[in-house]
Amino acid sequence: MQVTISSGNNINGTLVLPLFEGGEALPEIVEGIPNALKSQINRVLADGDFKAKANATMTLAGTEGGKAMLVGLGKAEKADTHAYREAGATVVASCKKVHGNELTVVFHNTDVPCMTSFAEGMMLRDYSYDLYKKKDEDETNLAARINCSEGDATALSAAIDRAASITSGVHLSRDLGNCPPNDLYPMAFAEKAEQWAKQYDNAKVEVIDYEAAKRHGMGGLVAVGMGSSRKPCMVIFTLNGDQKGQHPMLVGKGITFDTGGISLKPGAGMDEMKYDMGGSATVFGTMEALASSGYAGKVVAITCMAENMPAANAQRPGDVIKTLSGKTIEVLNTDAEGRLVLSDGLWKAGTDYDPEYIVDFATLTGACVVALGHEATGLWSNDDDFRTRIHEAGNDVGELAWPMPLLPAFEKEMTDSKIADTRNLGAGRYGGANTAAAFLKQFVPNRSDDEDAEQITWAHMDIAGTYWGAKSNKMVGHGATGIHVRTMVRLITGE
Ligand code: BES
Ligand code: ZN
Ligand code: ZN
């Protein structure tokens, strides 16, 4: 969707009018609305037929003055940027044939951040995944214009351009997540990443293929991926690699399909396991958002790509594998595969680079969905202040990440193997999201080899409940949500 701005009063296509609950009749200052339409609007407001409750809409048509869609922002004192973002998304979700392809948004009593949020909500929601459907002949793209004062025009235009760039990263994450698993396998993801890097002079992608992964001793990645004819790989994205000094580091779980392996999952809903590469999509989408919005700092991201299949050459429960870190893992359940591929990704991130911090993303556990539903991502960190920063960055952009405990008792549970350094399964099913996080912590390196060296600042985000199926997420209609691209942009750029 193209969003442009205009400092005139002209209305093209359907008028979109965001309104406060309990507001009065349209003030005279809302200029440019034809009288016939204005009196129709004032009539529904006066009669109480449209109360402007948050995310309510009403379409008016049939007068000579043109068409309008009223959208509620809720009470004025509560209408923050989140309310505007949701209202913008609601408008796009409610668009039907009758509204045509052109919208003109007219605000009153609004500042630039709220107008930007509204535009962002419209852009985020304007997405559908129809690559595999017959083309609809008369389908055209929505275009929206925002009328604003001359004084706001420059700032609003720059802010909307930035939001459009970030939206391209969110939509890329969704495209990857929604792509069927027969077409999105590990090396297909790697090829998409290589293609992507060609657009940017300051972006680089390196692929560690199956043979190289075996040579390097990436035992976790290899064990999970070897049972599939589509072999595993690791993809490393670098943005502004010539910048010196410490930099943010992202790591993503990229299981392009999770059957469970020999510990096969039950059949119902197994198709949803195509989304098990959501962590890698979050990371890739974040790199796109940063690159396309012109971020100048250095960021490195690693995605651990594998397809978890049962096969004659698949790993088995009972196997002991040796990871890149040198630590061994007793594989007690092949369905706990995300932590195995991440063990190599986290170790590589902390030893081959000099990260200020590492954040990993993974659709890691069903237990996290049990704990938090689809409303919040689980968030663990070895640094309380850092965890708070991520929690706040998420709140700022309307993507909730909820603090969860990283406890020594959970770590103990995961190192209690009779024959290996660690085990990939907890003692029972309780606290399954926490034991998974504690397992990952074993593979976050220290800052140096000194005995008293600190562990690298690290956070783990379990997006099993939020990467798809989050019905209350107004920014998306169906499928992958593309969550946390915006959280990461906020954390990394501070904007
Ligand atoms: N990809 C799944 C986690 C998952 C399940 C995400 C449902 C979203 C919805 C993961 O690989 C997995 O299977 N985890 C197991 C771990 C268990 C065997 C310790 C789980 O959650 O059941
Ligand atoms: Zn699994
Ligand atoms: Zn999985």
Side-chain angles (χ1 to χ4, degrees):
M1 161 185 258
Q2 177 88 21
V3 180
T4 55
I5 65 155
S6 155
S7 43
N9 293 323
N10 269 355
I11 291 167
N12 291 350
T14 297
L15 165 70
V16 172
L17 201 58
L19 295 166
F20 297 121
E21 188 176 340
E24 285 150 24
L26 275 193
E28 286 308 313
I29 45 159
V30 182
E31 287 173 64
I33 303 178
N35 283 335
L37 185 57
K38 200 166 189 170
S39 56
Q40 196 190 8
I41 294 169
N42 278 331
R43 169 66 61 85
V44 294
L45 294 178
D47 291 353
D49 291 332
F50 185 74
K51 298 198 171 60
K53 287 200 185 306
N55 300 310
T57 63
M58 180 183 264
T59 295
L60 304 176
T63 71
E64 282 167 23
K67 297 171 181 176
M69 189 197 292
L70 313 182
V71 59
L73 294 164
K75 296 217 164 66
E77 59 278 15
K78 281 197 188 154
D80 55 7
T81 52
H82 303 302
Y84 277 87
R85 189 184 301 108
E86 291 207 341
T90 299
V91 166
V92 171
S94 313
C95 261
K96 304 259 154 52
K97 239 192 184 115
V98 57
H99 301 99
N101 296 319
E102 267 181 46
L103 308 174
T104 299
V105 190
V106 176
F107 294 102
H108 56 284
N109 294 334
T110 313
D111 57 12
V112 170
C114 286
M115 288 191 272
T116 307
S117 256
F118 191 93
E120 183 184 51
M122 285 198 292
M123 293 187 287
L124 286 168
R125 184 61 181 75
D126 185 44
Y127 172 90
S128 62
Y129 190 73
D130 39 25
L131 230 61
Y132 289 80
K133 276 187 161 173
K134 196 160 92 220
K135 261 244 164 330
D136 194 350
E137 288 304 328
D138 50 37
E139 207 181 88
T140 44
N141 293 333
L142 261 184
R145 208 179 66 185
I146 294 179
N147 287 359
C148 72
S149 70
E150 249 167 67
D152 283 342
T154 314
L156 183 60
S157 167
I160 289 178
D161 283 351
R162 184 165 187 276
S165 291
I166 295 167
T167 300
S168 76
V170 177
H171 287 178
L172 171 61
S173 168
R174 290 182 193 169
D175 282 345
L176 293 163
N178 291 328
C179 189
N182 52 337
D183 282 346
L184 191 84
Y185 45 91
M187 284 304 284
F189 181 99
E191 277 153 31
K192 282 181 198 284
E194 285 172 328
Q195 282 304 321
W196 167 83
K198 288 187 186 150
Q199 305 165 68
Y200 298 107
D201 290 340
N202 57 343
K204 200 186 85 188
V205 162
E206 181 198 340
V207 179
I208 298 176
D209 67 14
Y210 182 50
E211 294 305 323
K214 280 198 284 192
R215 273 200 314 277
H216 292 154
M218 296 178 169
L221 186 76
V222 167
V224 174
M226 66 189 184
S228 169
S229 58
R230 270 82 176 272
K231 293 300 181 222
C233 62
M234 191 177 269
V235 183
I236 305 175
F237 301 73
T238 305
L239 188 64
N240 301 311
D242 49 1
Q243 299 281 327
K244 298 274 164 291
Q246 291 193 332
H247 54 85
M249 182 100 216
L250 310 175
V251 177
K253 167 179 172 181
I255 301 300
T256 59
F257 195 76
D258 183 10
T259 63
I262 295 297
S263 313
L264 194 65
K265 286 182 180 297
M270 205 206 271
D271 58 291
E272 295 190 340
M273 283 299 122
K274 72 169 184 173
Y275 297 116
D276 209 24
M277 34 56 69
S280 65
T282 307
V283 162
F284 191 170
T286 300
M287 296 308 265
E288 158 62 13
L290 292 169
S292 100
S293 62
Y295 182 62
K298 178 172 176 177
V299 182
V300 181
I302 294 181
T303 64
C304 311
M305 313 304 303
E307 184 176 49
N308 190 20
M309 289 293 231
N313 55 341
Q315 67 170 335
R316 318 140 267 261
D319 282 3
V320 173
I321 59 175
K322 187 167 182 182
T323 61
L324 189 62
S325 68
K327 280 198 177 116
T328 55
I329 305 173
E330 185 181 11
V331 179
L332 292 169
N333 187 317
T334 63
D335 198 11
E337 84 297 338
R339 59 197 76 182
L340 303 181
V341 300
L342 287 172
S343 71
D344 288 335
L346 288 168
W347 191 259
K348 173 130 184 114
T351 48
D352 281 12
Y353 300 88
D354 184 19
E356 178 192 346
Y357 54 75
I358 302 173
V359 183
D360 79 68
F361 294 89
T363 48
L364 200 63
T365 63
C368 190
V369 194
V370 173
L372 296 170
H374 296 288
E375 302 311 318
T377 293
L379 168 62
W380 291 257
S381 177
N382 58 359
D383 178 323
D384 291 348
D385 293 335
F386 185 56
R387 193 187 56 230
T388 303
R389 271 176 67 196
I390 296 182
H391 176 62
E392 284 172 356
N395 286 348
D396 289 345
V397 302
E399 296 180 328
L400 301 191
W402 219 256
M404 299 282 279
L406 201 60
L407 303 179
F410 293 127
E411 256 180 81
K412 193 157 171 287
E413 199 173 322
M414 301 309 286
T415 47
D416 182 36
S417 163
K418 295 274 182 294
I419 63 166
D421 300 326
T422 62
R423 46 187 281 163
N424 80 334
L425 197 63
R429 66 191 179 90
Y430 295 126
N434 298 315
T435 47
F439 176 89
L440 294 181
K441 185 174 181 291
Q442 314 296 310
F443 298 91
V444 178
N446 289 343
R447 291 244 174 238
S448 74
D449 289 336
D450 296 349
E451 215 170 286
D452 52 355
E454 258 187 280
Q455 192 172 39
I456 295 171
T457 306
W458 157 76
H460 158 57
M461 299 181 74
D462 193 332
I463 53 174
T466 50
Y467 189 69
W468 82 96
K471 294 206 174 58
S472 57
N473 185 338
K474 290 208 160 47
M475 300 307 130
V476 57
H478 172 77
T481 58
I483 197 164
H484 295 316
V485 168
R486 292 186 301 114
T487 308
M488 282 301 106
V489 170
R490 174 88 183 163
L491 178 78
I492 292 168
T493 69
E495 276 182 66

